Amino acid sequence: MLTSDSCLSLHKHGSSMASDSNSSESQRIAQQRLRIIAGHLQKHKDDDSGTIATECKAEANKGTVPRKRQEIMKWNGWGYSDSKFLFNKKGQAEFTGKRYRLSGMVLPSLQDWFENTFGASVNHKSPATPALNASAVPPASLNEAFVEDLKATGIPFSHEAEDRVFRAHGHCLHEIFALREGKKFERVPDMVVWPNCHNDVVKIVELACKHNVCLIPYGGGTSVTSALECPPEETRCIVSLDTSQMNRILWIDEKNLVAHVEAGIIGQDLERLLNESGYCTGHEPDSMEFSSLGGWVATRASGMKKNVYGNIEDLVIHIKVVTPRGVIEKSCQGPRMSTGPDIHHFILGSEGTLGVVTEVTMKIRPIPEYQKYGSVVFPNFEAGVACLREVAKQRCAPASIRLMDNEQFQFGHALKPQVSSIFTNFVEGLKKFYITKFKGFDPHQLVVATLLFEGDRERVLQHEKQVYDIAATFGGLAAGEDNGQRGYILTFVIAYLRDLGMDYYVVAESFETSVPWDRVLDLCRNVKERINRECKERGVQFQPLTSCRVTQTYDAGACVYFYFAFNYRGLADPVHTYERVEHAAREEILANGGSLSHHHGVGKLRKEWMKESISSLGVGMLQSVKDYVDPDNIFGNRNLL
Amino acid sequence: MSTVCASCFNILVFVTLQQRDPMLKRDGFEDILEERRNSSDLKYALRCYAPVLYKGVTPCKANMLKNIVLQSDQLHYVINQVSQESGEAPDIIQEEASVILEEMAHRLQISTVRFFAFALSKAFKTLFQHVCVNEEGIQRLQQAIQEHPVVLLPSHRSYMDFLLMSYILYTYDLALPVIAAGMDFMGMKFVGEMLRMSGAFFIRRSFGGDKLYWAVFSEYVKTMLRNGFAPIEFFLEGTRSRTCKSLTPKLGLLNIVIEPFFKGEVFDVNLVPVSISYERILEESLYARELLGVPKPKESTSGLLKARRILSEDYGSIHVYFGQPVSVRSLAQGKVNRSTYNLFPRHIPRKPMEETQSFVNDTAYRIVRLQEDNMVLKPWVLMASLLLQNLEGLELSVLTEQTVWLRGLALSYAAFLDWPDHAPTAKVVSSSLALHRGLACVSGGRVSLVVGEPLGPVTPEEALFNRAVSVLSCASYRNQVLHVFLRPAMLAVAMHTAASSKKNEVYNCFSFLWDMFSNDFILCPGDIVQDFEEACYLLVKTGAVQMPQQDIVMTDIGQPTLSFFNGLLEPFLQGYQMLLPTLRSEYSVLCVFTGNLRCYEVLSSDMQKNALAALLRMDAVRKVKV
């Protein structure tokens, strides 16, 4: 199945994407997309790999992602090529492009925040290598017999350096840093194939087994666990199996409220297409703009609105997986079964080590009638956590409730766009005065919770009151819809911000965990302190930024998400330093009762802790499944075990 | 420490703890009394006092602290448990807990501290010549207090210790500690309350099975620690050492202060060993009598007033050395897997796991050794060691000559010797004798121990008693140097008694001694091989011993060193031997170690207690209920 491409760590959800907030905007994008697709079809005619399998090409490809991803996306950074942060000539930050609400806006406070927080300067640039240096890419070592047989199937493939490099990485800091630096690649896939449907995948897997070729499934490429990295010791031909063209909704069953979807579809396309029929899945991981359904399944993804819709394991009704032993699927779509251990749970979280998820039946819901953002300011993080705990206890969490610590609160403020009217400015000032002076909140202590309510209008308003009443008992003050919405915007542009940081000697990464309620505060404090200490010990010369956020609430605990960034000027090997610090932070998390991962997965980055996390017997159980399903290690990405 | 990065700090700890570097770098001292002699005590007592606390927390009022403890999940759990077991209503148990806490809790008040600052300034100036403090240690402590919860672990030789500690911290504008004190003090009317108001909290000496008491007590200490309200101070040795040897550490409180780290409630805990060395201990002869079975005078205010007469004597100087803070986090690295605490609710009291227990035990021993390392030794300590090996007395010139020799030996073994600069040896010796004229006297060019002359006729028993008092008093000075010489001395004895000079035979003897003496001396559990190697290294280094191939042999010049060492441990060997005249197998082994029996020290209850404990441990004797 697909490798963990879903839950890109840095990014919050994308509900504020241009495409669903502005209809003329989405029309424009759709047109552009059609042009691109047309371009592709055109190209195929001259391409020897271009014969499209007839059975699968039933309709024109409606997906956002073309085969040549590099045509619309950055090859060495996050997201769309046209969207990025930069400091303009006046030193002011702006966000380019037209896709997002923030696009085209000037962010007057970002520079100050950036320079003060990191000790960085807009005059000290660390620019990236402008283009891929083909000579840094090892030549493709092809399995000729496999290629011959593959040609006969008519499934498109490529062994161009750009295509291969694009699929050799996810979005870990070290991966993006290496791309920017133009480092030589140790191992990249030798070729890329683009199946168009389940049957194509069956053929590819059969051929891979026949010719002993290593397959690495690739979905949205948003992994942050080194899951997409090719094992350097792999001597067989490595084929990246890109599912991006398997992106159709095959049917919608309105009686049972389920949809049957090809697993290569990415989050934004899935939501958009379902919206057209009046439905949604409600699954919105922060990476949903780019991550794919198959990737969500393969990594046990979590969406920010899981309180209403559930996490991926709650949403999935039926999964079809192609493995070297054949196809695994259940024989019915019963909502729950007692038929021994649930085989879905071998697949959920298997991170591409067993096979390829090709089709998924998942729950859908009618689009909610009403959505409302909100926010609450608390005097300090402790009060905020206590409030979230109480909300979870009363089981009245809104679709999303997130608590940002003070560092993130300030960061959010730095991302405020230029205010157009004097009046808004005045109101903002008044609010600030009320909270800090009148209510006595310390601006260096206060934290903010952002909320998103969904449902019918009356219920939402009722619900909102209930949550605000609880918040008030913990000293929380309602702080308006705008602040809430801004919090959610921040979540999907933050990944773009990392690229900006890297232009100025700042490296950044995020990681997550889940932890019982009573340990949330201790874990947050200790992990931050550990990061600060490790940075100091490892010669980082500037105070690092450590920040955390409680992003999900459960009955018995919470998901905590950390950001960590520092200015690396003066360090010989910033990536190594960064990796050691992250390693220490993970150890600290485990020592404080946190889990190895809440939704990012294990990949190769956190393999070393698997035994400790699930016991060696547990690892043995997983290993025996792997040995049975894939005895020749065709799915050889070596994640997890 | 402030400028040294944490990893260097880890290495430092590692070095001091693991591979005791004989060339240990030590800080210099400042005399804090000097300023007191030159400026107003009243002004000093009333000056602005604004210490920096842990991460800038605001100090917590005593009452608020009590409320936090009484409302804690930890305490509630135990209250419910006790209530279920006893059938008593929870409110009643809660009330009981509140009473326990009331009896226990400190009521630190700055006014009382100021009173003490004034009174102690006066007292110290009359009693002592100098009170010397290593200011670098103070700076390290100041830094540590701001970064982590700090636990102060001073050595315990005198009642004076904790007053002195608070006095010093006040002097340097550091946060005042809360001090775990024995309940005995509470018996002192008025004074007990004064101590309480200067930061002491009182714990019962034994509360074995009392769950509620333990819960209140441990939660009280942990609450203060977790919040960083004040440094916590207690004595690892549990009680004042009457012999001036360090006592084997007690683990109860150390377990309590370390647990919040394992449970992730604090990022780290810093343990600060503090070595307080007295040139003359106020309780000197009191201790010797106590060891001989005269009961300790009960702590009472009137007793204290009677003790005023000590104010007229000269007690020399005090050295207080604040050691390098030891990070529990660094120590535990790789030894305790904190994630084992993940599977149990943190508010439910639980016996520490074996891994943790042995870590705490190990840590306690290492801290006590760090205390020993930085104990300042006076020339008299060397002289006392020599006099005790020559009870019939020594020519002054011989004593002087041997003291000089022993000084060289001690220095090469990294003793922290406070030998006056630029003073002729004869002067050093005579002024030491003058200060300790109650213990030794010079007559006709011979130096010998003074035996107290009681009025009236003396029975032989009384004569023996008096003699024993003077020997034990003198021994309390010799004991101060034992930690420096202990390991090479045990090797010397082992060489002396082993059947051959084969290294493994010597080692066997050494390990027998090591094991036997581990109640009497601070020998870190599991360090036997390391100690043996250290002993070999030191004796070889000073030229007393050679180690050709698999042998250990004395060199031509080794005789004085080895025989001094044999003499040094002889009282202990004799004592142990006398205590088991009827135990066959062990007896025979022991007999080998000793020649004649001429041993007053066996009369010491401390030695008897340790020897018995050792014998029990070694299965040489068995406890039988009758």
Side-chain angles (χ1 to χ4, degrees), chain B residues 178-232:
Chain B
V178 288
I179 309 127
M183 204 67 122
D184 342 350
F185 285 107
M186 265 234 324
M188 297 165 80
K189 268 180 228 135
F190 184 65
V191 174
E193 286 312 301
M194 286 288 282
L195 293 177
R196 199 195 278 284
M197 287 189 282
S198 65
F201 63 95
F202 296 100
I203 41 181
R204 296 179 192 159
R205 279 257 173 240
S206 62
F207 43 90
D210 192 340
K211 256 189 222 165
L212 186 64
Y213 191 89
W214 176 260
V216 173
F217 164 53
S218 75
E219 196 46 33
Y220 180 64
V221 175
K222 283 181 196 168
T223 303
M224 292 188 288
L225 182 97
R226 279 189 215 114
N227 296 297
F229 291 141
I232 299 197

Side-chain angles (χ1 to χ4, degrees), chain A residues 518-519 522 525-526 588, chain B residues 55 264-265 329 341 346:
Chain A
D518 72 314
R519 294 175 193 256
D522 287 331
R525 183 199 53 236
N526 289 348
E588 196 59 35
Chain B
K55 292 200 169 146
E265 293 162 343
R329 175 175 274 266
Y341 286 80
R346 294 186 294 178

Side-chain angles (χ1 to χ4, degrees), chain B residues 30-36 39 41 44-45 47-51 110 113-114 116-118 120-121 124 131-133 135 138 142 163-177 322:
Chain B
E30 293 292 322
D31 180 5
I32 58 169
L33 282 192
E34 202 173 291
E35 204 197 320
R36 294 278 46 75
S39 66
D41 289 335
Y44 160 79
R47 83 201 154 92
C48 166
Y49 168 72
I110 187 66
V113 173
R114 291 188 193 283
F116 271 112
F118 180 77
L120 289 176
S121 294
F124 286 165
V131 174
C132 301
V133 176
E135 290 194 339
I138 293 285
Q142 185 165 30
L163 290 175
L164 183 64
M165 285 289 291
S166 298
Y167 182 84
I168 292 170
L169 296 188
Y170 172 81
T171 304
Y172 285 102
D173 215 19
L174 289 176
L176 287 172
F322 289 84

Side-chain angles (χ1 to χ4, degrees), chain A residues 360-613:
Chain A
V360 174
T361 309
M362 72 190 293
K363 298 182 200 169
I364 55 171
R365 299 288 305 164
I367 297 174
E369 176 196 306
Y370 188 65
Q371 261 201 348
K372 192 173 182 191
Y373 289 97
S375 65
V376 183
V377 178
F378 293 96
N380 54 46
F381 194 61
E382 288 76 7
V385 170
C387 172
L388 261 64
R389 203 280 161 268
E390 185 58 29
V391 166
K393 199 188 226 168
Q394 297 192 20
R395 291 203 171 161
C396 64
S400 169
I401 176 167
R402 291 175 161 177
L403 179 72
M404 298 194 262
D405 69 359
N406 183 260
E407 286 80 2
Q408 253 173 78
F409 169 75
Q410 299 197 14
F411 177 33
H413 266 257
L415 285 173
K416 271 195 181 170
Q418 207 152 28
V419 192
S420 42
S421 91
I422 296 172
F423 181 69
T424 338
N425 223 345
F426 172 74
V427 172
E428 286 293 318
L430 213 60
K431 263 194 228 159
K432 198 170 168 185
F433 173 82
Y434 176 74
I435 287 175
T436 58
K437 296 288 181 326
F438 186 72
K439 280 289 170 180
F441 285 14
D442 177 352
H444 296 285
Q445 292 285 318
L446 64 83
V447 300
V448 61
T450 58
L451 311 166
L452 172 60
F453 298 91
E454 269 190 17
D456 60 67
R457 193 160 184 280
E458 206 173 307
R459 273 256 214 48
V460 163
L461 296 178
Q462 214 181 334
H463 193 178
E464 192 186 21
K465 183 176 181 313
Q466 185 185 8
V467 172
Y468 283 130
D469 285 350
I470 293 174
T473 62
F474 294 93
L477 290 175
E481 282 181 70
D482 280 0
N483 276 324
Q485 193 166 11
R486 192 167 23 249
Y488 290 99
I489 296 174
L490 199 146
T491 60
F492 69 92
V493 296
I494 196 161
Y496 287 102
L497 273 164
R498 179 168 83 175
D499 292 337
L500 177 72
M502 283 203 270
D503 285 339
Y504 296 92
Y505 289 97
V506 171
V507 287
E509 186 63 288
S510 62
F511 46 86
E512 39 68 283
T513 186
S514 54
V515 60
W517 278 116
D518 72 314
R519 294 175 193 256
V520 170
L521 287 174
D522 287 331
L523 181 133
C524 291
R525 183 199 53 236
N526 289 348
V527 170
K528 285 182 181 182
E529 173 107 34
R530 179 78 182 261
I531 292 174
N532 288 332
R533 270 243 225 166
E534 294 281 336
C535 281
K536 207 190 269 177
E537 276 178 40
R538 295 177 194 284
V540 176
Q541 310 195 350
F542 303 86
Q543 177 74 17
L545 170 74
T546 56
S547 168
C548 66
R549 165 166 85 204
V550 180
T551 63
Q552 292 287 14
T553 62
Y554 293 88
D555 287 348
C559 168
V560 181
Y561 207 96
F562 289 91
Y563 290 125
F564 152 46
F566 62 84
N567 180 343
Y568 67 84
R569 295 191 74 198
L571 288 182
D573 188 350
V575 167
H576 178 74
T577 305
Y578 156 75
E579 282 175 343
R580 296 324 300 158
V581 177
E582 193 198 355
H583 189 273
R586 181 58 59 181
E587 286 194 325
E588 196 59 35
I589 285 175
L590 297 176
N592 282 275
S595 65
L596 191 52
S597 172
H598 170 263
H599 60 271
H600 282 177
V602 175
K604 288 179 273 288
L605 194 63
R606 289 186 267 275
K607 258 165 88 163
E608 62 179 295
W609 289 292
M610 272 298 270
K611 254 190 199 157
E612 192 185 317
S613 290

Side-chain angles (χ1 to χ4, degrees), chain B residues 24-231:
Chain B
L24 216 64
K25 264 279 232 242
R26 291 179 178 117
D27 309 332
F29 284 102
E30 293 292 322
D31 180 5
I32 58 169
L33 282 192
E34 202 173 291
E35 204 197 320
R36 294 278 46 75
R37 294 191 205 279
N38 298 323
S39 66
S40 152
D41 289 335
L42 194 63
K43 253 196 201 150
Y44 160 79
L46 294 177
R47 83 201 154 92
C48 166
Y49 168 72
V52 185
L53 287 178
Y54 171 59
K55 292 200 169 146
V57 298
T58 41
C60 177
K61 289 264 177 329
N63 272 331
M64 201 171 108
L65 179 64
K66 283 182 206 161
N67 282 338
I68 299 177
V69 174
L70 289 174
Q71 281 158 21
S72 66
D73 295 339
Q74 284 80 350
L75 195 55
H76 276 186
Y77 180 86
V78 175
I79 285 172
N80 287 333
Q81 203 184 18
V82 171
S83 147
Q84 269 165 24
E85 282 166 13
S86 65
E88 205 84 66
D91 334 356
I92 295 178
I93 312 282
Q94 171 90 28
E95 191 47 43
E96 232 174 89
S98 169
V99 170
I100 294 174
L101 189 58
E102 202 59 37
E103 172 195 89
M104 182 182 307
H106 76 80
R107 276 200 298 277
L108 186 60
Q109 267 182 4
I110 187 66
S111 52
T112 316
V113 173
R114 291 188 193 283
F115 166 78
F116 271 112
F118 180 77
L120 289 176
S121 294
K122 296 285 179 218
F124 286 165
K125 279 189 282 188
T126 20
L127 285 169
F128 304 109
Q129 294 165 14
H130 310 282
V131 174
C132 301
V133 176
N134 65 326
E135 290 194 339
E136 283 158 76
I138 293 285
Q139 280 159 19
R140 288 190 296 253
L141 176 61
Q142 185 165 30
Q143 183 77 20
I145 285 176
Q146 290 170 47
E147 287 174 3
H148 301 291
V150 162
V151 180
L152 292 167
L153 298 168
S155 59
H156 201 11
R157 302 288 173 270
S158 168
Y159 277 145
M160 202 59 113
D161 291 327
F162 71 83
L163 290 175
L164 183 64
M165 285 289 291
S166 298
Y167 182 84
I168 292 170
L169 296 188
Y170 172 81
T171 304
Y172 285 102
D173 215 19
L174 289 176
L176 287 172
V178 288
I179 309 127
M183 204 67 122
D184 342 350
F185 285 107
M186 265 234 324
M188 297 165 80
K189 268 180 228 135
F190 184 65
V191 174
E193 286 312 301
M194 286 288 282
L195 293 177
R196 199 195 278 284
M197 287 189 282
S198 65
F201 63 95
F202 296 100
I203 41 181
R204 296 179 192 159
R205 279 257 173 240
S206 62
F207 43 90
D210 192 340
K211 256 189 222 165
L212 186 64
Y213 191 89
W214 176 260
V216 173
F217 164 53
S218 75
E219 196 46 33
Y220 180 64
V221 175
K222 283 181 196 168
T223 303
M224 292 188 288
L225 182 97
R226 279 189 215 114
N227 296 297
F229 291 141

